[in-house]
Amino acid sequence: MMDDTSQKTAGAAPLLEARRVGVRVRATGEPLVADVSLTLYRGRSLGIVGDSGSGKTLLCRSLLGLLPSSLTAEGQVLFDGADMLHAEAAEARHRRGTGLGLLLQQAMTAFDPLRTIEAHFLESLREKCGLAAAGARRKAEAYLNRTGLAADVLHAWPHQLSGGMLQRCMIALTLSLEPSVIVADEPTTAQDACHQFRIVRLLAGLRQERALLIVSHDLAVVQALADDLLILHEGRCVESGPTAAVLAAPQHACTRRLLEARQALSRPFLQLRGGRA
Amino acid sequence: MKLRTTLLHRLPGIVPLLFLTSVLSFGLVQLSPSDPAEVALRLNDITPTPEVIAETRARLGLDQPLPIRYFRWLDAVLHGDLGTSYVNGKSVAAELRQALPPTVMLAATATVIMLAGGLLTALPGVFRPGSRTDRLARLFLFFASAMPSFWLGLLLLQFLAVTLDLFPIGGMNGPASLALPALTLALPHMPAYARLLRAAMLRTARENFVLHDRARGLSPRTVMKHIFRNSLQSCLTALGMSLPRLMAGAFVVENIFAWPGLGRLCVTAIFNRDFPVIQAYVLLMAGMFIVCNLCVDICAALLDPRQREEAAQ
Amino acid sequence: MSLRQALLRDGLAVCSLLFLLLVLLAALLAPWLAPQDPLAPDVQNKFAVWSAEHWLGTDHLGRDVFSRLLYGARCTLGFALLTTVFTLLAGILPGLLAGVLCGRTETLLLRLCDILLSFPAEVLILAVTGMLGAGPEKAALACLLAKWPWYARMMCGIARQYADTNAVRFARVMGHGLPHILRRHILPRVAGETIVLATLHTGSFILTLSALSFLGLGVQPPAPEWGAMLGEARNALLRAPWLMLPPGAAILLVVAACNYLGDCLHDALEGRCGDEGKAVFS
């Protein structure tokens, strides 16, 4: 599918490969996502763009094998020698967290309200990495520092932190498990501009050591982060290729519409800037 | 310090409620169509001539106007004097004190059975909805909800105590005698709690943090632990109130198994038209309900980090 | 009539309905169906096991258990149904009025209901029977007093919802009085909910009332009420344990049928509302 990418990194095996992935409603058979294929190599990042309802979140969840029970998945998601969609539950579970990390859309509700942030870290690091409390705490502090948070966040309850702080906690928690692929589902929505910038910078830094799959409806974020682009429209992949190429010469009406919408939104700001300068 | 602020928030609310309860239980006797003085005389086999009735009324303080009688009664109650039984002349407070522990014991055991059973029957509906175990649990709960507790008690009595001779037939002697009444008391209440727990667990399982747990690849046991704690938290009040609820509902079971508890005391008093005992029972139960409600709320607030914060502010 | 269709789709619900109708019919036709007089003692023939003459045997006074069961259906169901109807009336009327009138009446009623509902029904029932003494009408009154606030609160909520509709506002503007609004606009709409509530709760009323009769606080002994029959069977437990089977099983089955039917109606009504909601929003 992505010929340029595969040529560029020819020889290296892909980290994550999705082949003709589809998602259907179990009861009615209605397709929500159909026939999406993608490949992700180490050190590269892929952006998935589409308007709301285009199946971005479902695609993310199916990559980890975490679809709700009312939906069924078809196709293959190959990661670390296993098909995440059809492997045994335990086998897929072992690859989640330490192999495939997922950043959820709503950070506000992503933490158990009855446990402190520290409890989340300690439990995850003990179960997934076999770390004892002291080691886990050191690691948690290190990763929190990387996201710009102080170590005393560990003793806070989720309800005491703001959405932006929780988002960074979630990133720190996901990173502390050292996954080789990070799937980030709308990491910048519900964030103010300052936080958005910080998160984008953080994620950009990650790209070097891991592979990043970033989902967004915000073209600017994707433009800053993704090497390649995949446009999703009504559950189907309508366009894909290197980011610069896709954005310079959009082929599909949907891509053009997304670009126009972005320009229309930023025009007033540009005008303002122009007027002041 | 946090506890004190919680108390300060909640205490003013229960004072009018307690006052109302006292008025209600005092008023119930006044509303009764039969004259307490006459009943008291009849029970002691004295022919109620007008003179004797007048004398008894004066002795019982019934000739005073209502508000005065109420405050006298309230004053006595606050000093722990709940009056004397018309039937045997004993102090009602002493009788209640004697009957309270058996009822608490029975209701506590039944609560444990009910929660354990409710949980066990709720779990298949969460993990494997539609499976054979789930259908079996639903069938069981369906019949448990339609089961008359008095029939269940008689059946258990007949088959487990008389025919198989596994348990004592009635009365209170030893832990074995507790089993059948507690089971009879627990079973009809089980369906409501099973439904509550199942709904709470299904709701929690759909929460975002559970997805996050699973996305980190945590083991199903750990994820279940989180779901479980959060769902218990959300129905903590209902769970905490099950003890007083079962205490109030124990009167039928106590009668079947000759359990020397509050319910049996009250039903016997109803037959004897022994008003002071009935009045004291109502007052005790209603008061206990209010106090239990307060305690459960405080416990819930202390266990929930979000509420703990609110209460402290 | 999607309610009826939803009901007919469920085989068990149809069975429950047929069973209840059968029991009601048996209760109505008891004088013609019963092989013996339910009250006639036959001391020579007491504790008889089942036979062609006495289908379910005889009790401690030699009375025919089957005939007593048939007449008992009359007594038990009639008693429970009457109590349900009166409790519904006692709850629905103030509830509807408060819901339509809103304002202070509503607050007052809701506060009163909250206070009454904060105590367990059992305590209120025991308190009222305690003060009034034993007897069927007193037991029914106790039940009514303990349960009406629940219905009142529920109906208040429902009426509140309908009182906000344009039809009712228009009727008010047109100068129609409260009785007209209640009769023409509110009552027809709450009828469905009321029927469901009644079905759903007849079972629990049967349980409560027969428990009181069982203890001797409700229907008094010679009358063949199922709970009272169980109370008598209990006294003969060691001599003839089988006597407790017919009345107990009868209560269990009738209550189970009521519950199932009520649940079904409830689901159907909810589902119907859900569909309507969807149609509005799509």
Side-chain angles (χ1 to χ4, degrees):
Chain A
M1 177 140 255
M2 276 165 285
D3 304 322
D4 300 354
T5 320
S6 25
Q7 276 159 18
K8 252 183 253 167
T9 44
L15 272 177
L16 177 75
E17 191 178 2
R19 291 183 187 156
R20 306 180 68 92
V21 171
V23 177
R24 281 176 192 278
V25 178
R26 194 183 290 275
T28 59
E30 180 195 350
L32 300 174
V33 174
D35 211 11
V36 176
S37 302
L38 54 90
T39 321
L40 204 56
Y41 295 89
R42 185 176 295 281
R44 309 270 312 163
S45 59
L46 170 69
I48 298 182
V49 179
D51 30 36
S52 14
S54 58
K56 292 175 303 205
T57 299
L58 281 181
L59 183 62
C60 283
R61 287 182 67 169
S62 60
L63 290 181
L64 276 89
L66 282 178
L67 284 176
S69 57
S70 57
L71 305 178
T72 57
E74 50 206 37
Q76 280 181 311
V77 175
L78 296 175
F79 177 79
D80 193 15
D83 179 0
M84 294 300 283
L85 291 180
H86 304 106
E88 263 181 58
E91 211 179 332
R93 182 169 69 76
H94 282 303
R95 284 168 176 75
R96 287 197 285 267
T98 41
L100 273 168
L102 176 67
L103 295 176
L104 290 179
Q105 206 167 342
Q106 300 98 355
M108 284 298 266
T109 52
F111 289 88
D112 184 345
L114 299 185
R115 293 181 308 145
T116 56
I117 301 297
E118 183 176 38
H120 284 85
F121 270 100
L122 294 193
E123 187 185 57
S124 304
L125 286 168
R126 193 189 60 232
E127 236 182 60
K128 299 302 291 185
C129 311
L131 280 182
R137 204 168 284 124
R138 265 199 306 279
K139 199 166 179 185
E141 285 172 9
Y143 275 97
L144 282 172
N145 282 333
R146 267 186 75 176
T147 59
L149 286 172
D152 54 4
V153 169
L154 280 178
H155 303 293
W157 300 90
H159 69 272
Q160 295 169 320
L161 301 178
S162 69
M165 288 169 102
L166 284 173
Q167 178 94 35
R168 281 184 278 160
C169 281
M170 184 162 71
I171 294 173
L173 181 54
T174 308
L175 290 185
S176 69
L177 299 176
E178 291 169 355
S180 48
V181 175
I182 294 171
V183 180
D185 186 2
E186 305 270 10
T188 55
T189 39
Q191 301 287 320
D192 56 55
C194 174
H195 280 126
Q196 278 191 13
F197 178 70
R198 204 189 296 226
I199 286 167
V200 167
R201 209 174 49 185
L202 193 68
L203 290 175
L206 292 174
R207 224 169 15 167
Q208 268 77 57
E209 37 195 305
R210 308 162 210 279
L212 181 66
L213 193 147
I214 182 155
V215 172
S216 185
H217 62 263
D218 187 348
L219 275 178
V221 171
V222 176
Q223 210 170 351
L225 284 176
D227 303 320
D228 302 295
L229 209 54
L230 189 151
I231 313 284
L232 215 57
H233 178 63
E234 288 180 350
R236 288 174 185 278
C237 167
V238 293
E239 194 166 355
S240 68
T243 308
V246 171
L247 293 183
Q251 302 294 311
H252 194 269
C254 175
T255 319
R256 279 198 293 274
R257 196 161 42 75
L258 280 167
L259 266 173
E260 276 163 21
R262 169 159 162 66
Q263 277 157 7
L265 277 174
S266 52
R267 199 168 298 133
F269 294 100
L270 291 175
Q271 277 168 358
L272 261 182
R273 207 171 57 183
R276 208 178 52 190
Chain B
M1 190 182 95
K2 281 166 182 168
L3 184 67
R4 205 178 59 203
T5 37
T6 317
L7 273 173
L8 282 179
H9 268 275
R10 291 279 284 122
L11 272 179
I14 71 164
V15 171
L17 216 56
L18 280 173
F19 171 72
L20 216 95
T21 310
S22 73
V23 172
L24 213 73
S25 42
F26 176 78
L28 275 172
V29 177
Q30 317 305 320
L31 289 175
S32 152
S34 39
D35 182 357
E38 206 181 313
V39 175
L41 286 175
R42 270 190 210 289
L43 283 169
N44 295 313
D45 289 327
I46 302 169
T47 323
T49 58
E51 300 88 63
V52 189
I53 287 182
E55 191 206 321
T56 317
R57 285 180 70 86
R59 184 165 53 82
L60 293 173
L62 294 173
D63 50 353
Q64 306 281 334
L66 255 165
I68 292 185
R69 265 156 58 202
Y70 169 71
F71 282 111
R72 269 196 191 163
W73 172 80
L74 191 65
D75 183 55
V77 167
L78 289 177
H79 286 94
D81 176 15
L82 292 164
T84 49
S85 160
Y86 288 165
V87 178
N88 51 22
K90 281 190 202 157
S91 150
V92 174
E95 291 220 43
L96 287 186
R97 242 197 313 277
Q98 210 177 2
L100 187 63
T103 299
V104 172
M105 205 152 71
L106 176 63
T109 318
T111 307
V112 173
I113 296 177
M114 187 191 74
L115 292 184
L119 205 59
L120 273 181
T121 44
L123 286 179
V126 179
F127 283 120
R128 306 215 162 109
S131 67
R132 187 175 295 177
T133 338
D134 180 32
R135 284 201 305 253
L136 213 66
R138 274 166 194 264
L139 192 74
F140 166 75
L141 289 176
F142 174 66
F143 277 106
S145 69
M147 191 66 157
S149 62
F150 42 99
W151 193 43
L152 178 69
L154 289 183
L155 286 176
L156 290 177
L157 202 60
Q158 178 59 33
F159 288 112
L160 297 182
V162 178
T163 313
L164 297 176
D165 200 17
L166 293 174
F167 297 96
I169 289 178
M172 185 177 69
N173 35 22
S177 64
L178 193 59
L180 290 188
L183 193 65
T184 313
L185 184 56
L187 211 61
H189 289 268
M190 218 179 264
Y193 282 85
R195 211 172 288 178
L196 185 80
L197 285 171
R198 187 168 59 200
M201 279 196 268
L202 285 175
R203 206 171 42 236
T204 316
R206 284 197 299 267
E207 295 264 3
N208 207 26
F209 73 81
V210 175
L211 177 66
H212 191 203
D213 275 354
R214 292 175 62 212
R216 275 176 286 145
L218 297 183
S219 68
R221 228 175 83 187
T222 314
V223 177
M224 196 55 220
K225 211 170 71 193
H226 299 167
I227 294 180
F228 193 59
R229 242 189 97 188
N230 274 277
S231 10
L232 274 191
Q233 183 75 44
S234 68
C235 39
L236 202 64
T237 316
L239 296 180
M241 289 314 282
S242 57
L243 181 73
R245 235 165 238 293
L246 287 181
M247 277 178 74
F251 67 101
V252 178
V253 175
E254 285 181 0
N255 257 276
I256 298 172
F257 291 95
W259 191 258
L262 284 174
R264 201 165 79 121
L265 185 73
C266 180
V267 172
T268 316
I270 290 176
F271 281 122
N272 292 335
R273 318 215 34 73
D274 193 352
F275 292 123
V277 176
I278 304 171
Q279 195 177 34
Y281 171 82
V282 174
L283 189 69
L284 177 70
M285 277 297 174
M288 193 188 65
F289 232 72
I290 295 168
V291 173
C292 272
N293 218 330
L294 178 74
C295 292
V296 167
D297 280 355
I298 291 174
C299 286
L302 286 181
L303 283 175
D304 188 332
R306 289 157 292 183
Q307 286 187 38
R308 201 157 49 200
E309 190 97 334
E310 272 166 36
Q313 274 166 7
Chain C
M1 278 282 102
S2 61
L3 201 63
R4 202 168 59 197
Q5 281 165 2
L7 202 64
L8 289 179
R9 266 205 301 272
D10 190 339
L12 257 176
V14 177
C15 286
S16 308
L17 187 64
L18 284 180
F19 175 72
L20 283 180
L21 286 177
L22 202 73
V23 173
L24 276 178
L25 202 69
L28 285 176
L29 299 179
W32 293 277
L33 289 175
Q36 318 257 329
D37 183 348
L39 297 175
D42 179 5
V43 192
Q44 300 292 311
N45 204 6
K46 61 181 178 182
F47 297 126
V49 289
W50 48 84
S51 61
E53 194 190 353
H54 300 289
W55 290 2
L56 292 173
T58 59
D59 68 0
H60 65 294
L61 293 175
R63 296 172 296 194
D64 182 45
V65 172
F66 181 66
S67 308
R68 283 179 72 71
L69 206 62
L70 279 179
Y71 274 93
R74 243 174 188 215
C75 204
T76 312
L77 293 186
F79 190 29
L81 281 175
L82 272 180
T83 316
T84 313
V85 167
F86 278 109
T87 310
L88 276 174
L89 285 179
I92 286 173
L93 286 181
L96 283 185
L97 271 178
V100 173
L101 290 173
C102 304
R104 193 169 292 171
T105 329
E106 191 191 5
T107 324
L108 208 70
L109 182 84
L110 287 181
R111 186 56 56 82
L112 180 70
C113 290
D114 279 344
I115 288 171
L116 286 176
L117 285 173
S118 64
F119 304 118
E122 287 92 347
V123 170
L124 282 177
I125 289 174
L126 276 189
V128 176
T129 29
M131 295 310 146
L132 298 178
E137 70 286 348
K138 290 162 191 162
L141 185 65
C143 257
L144 187 150
L145 287 176
K147 303 256 171 104
W148 77 268
W150 198 86
Y151 293 96
R153 199 167 64 170
M154 177 127 200
M155 274 301 149
C156 188
I158 296 174
R160 186 67 202 275
Q161 193 184 326
Y162 287 126
D164 264 348
T165 55
N166 281 338
V168 172
R169 290 209 193 104
F170 183 65
R172 275 197 188 161
V173 172
M174 292 295 285
H176 288 303
L178 197 59
H180 175 91
I181 292 177
L182 274 182
R183 204 174 56 240
R184 291 295 301 279
H185 296 287
I186 308 283
L187 276 179
R189 290 176 180 198
V190 299
E193 271 98 341
T194 316
I195 290 168
V196 172
L197 278 181
T199 325
L200 204 57
H201 291 261
T202 308
S204 78
F205 274 110
I206 293 177
L207 283 182
T208 314
L209 288 170
S210 53
L212 287 175
S213 298
F214 171 80
L215 291 178
L217 294 172
V219 177
Q220 295 301 308
E225 203 270 348
W226 290 343
M229 281 169 76
L230 263 178
E232 289 172 335
R234 166 207 191 178
N235 295 331
L237 194 62
L238 292 178
R239 178 77 196 277
W242 63 84
L243 271 180
M244 68 179 172
L245 292 178
I251 299 177
L252 174 70
L253 288 177
V254 168
V255 175
C258 277
N259 285 358
Y260 193 82
L261 200 62
D263 276 341
C264 255
L265 283 173
H266 183 76
D267 289 349
L269 202 68
E270 294 273 290
R272 199 185 59 175
C273 292
D275 285 345
E276 276 175 3
K278 234 184 254 165
V280 168
F281 287 115
S282 64

